[in-house]
Amino acid sequence: YLFSEDFAFQLIPGSKEGQRRAALWDANPRTAQENPMDGLINPDDYEKGLEEAWERAKPKGSTVTVKDKLQQWSTQNNPHWYGNKLSA
């Protein structure tokens, strides 16, 4: 076991056993989460509170809006996320 690929698969990125278990988690509808807002009970209330907090905290003359940022973040691709495949 010590010299097999399954040894310490949690610590080895891209190991076969790690990929297999990640696929099992992603296949389960309770653990697969495409949209980060899916876990919120009331996403509209969250967005409203976020807008109110931003209006109080934003710098003078700022043109950034919460709706624009949420739209930008919904399509963001994070290349440094551990779940992405290595390109090289």
Side-chain angles (χ1 to χ4, degrees):
Y1 178 75
L2 186 62
F3 298 106
S4 71
E5 289 183 11
D6 293 340
F7 177 73
F9 69 89
Q10 300 96 333
L11 303 175
I12 302 171
S15 69
K16 291 179 185 176
E17 181 63 18
Q19 289 178 350
R20 184 187 74 80
R21 290 195 185 190
L24 287 173
W25 277 103
D26 291 341
N28 185 341
R30 291 182 185 239
T31 58
Q33 186 179 14
E34 292 294 322
N35 183 0
M37 296 289 225
D38 285 346
L40 295 176
I41 294 172
N42 191 349
D44 296 330
D45 189 42
Y46 171 78
E47 289 180 16
K48 182 181 173 194
L50 188 61
E51 285 181 29
E52 291 173 0
W54 175 244
E55 289 302 320
R56 287 192 307 259
K58 76 176 180 179
K60 194 173 192 175
S62 175
T63 59
V64 176
T65 64
V66 171
K67 290 188 186 236
D68 292 341
K69 274 298 181 185
L70 287 174
Q71 180 62 32
Q72 177 187 0
W73 291 337
S74 70
T75 59
Q76 181 177 355
N77 179 17
N78 187 351
H80 304 294
W81 181 58
Y82 75 94
N84 286 344
K85 302 264 187 217
L86 297 175
S87 62

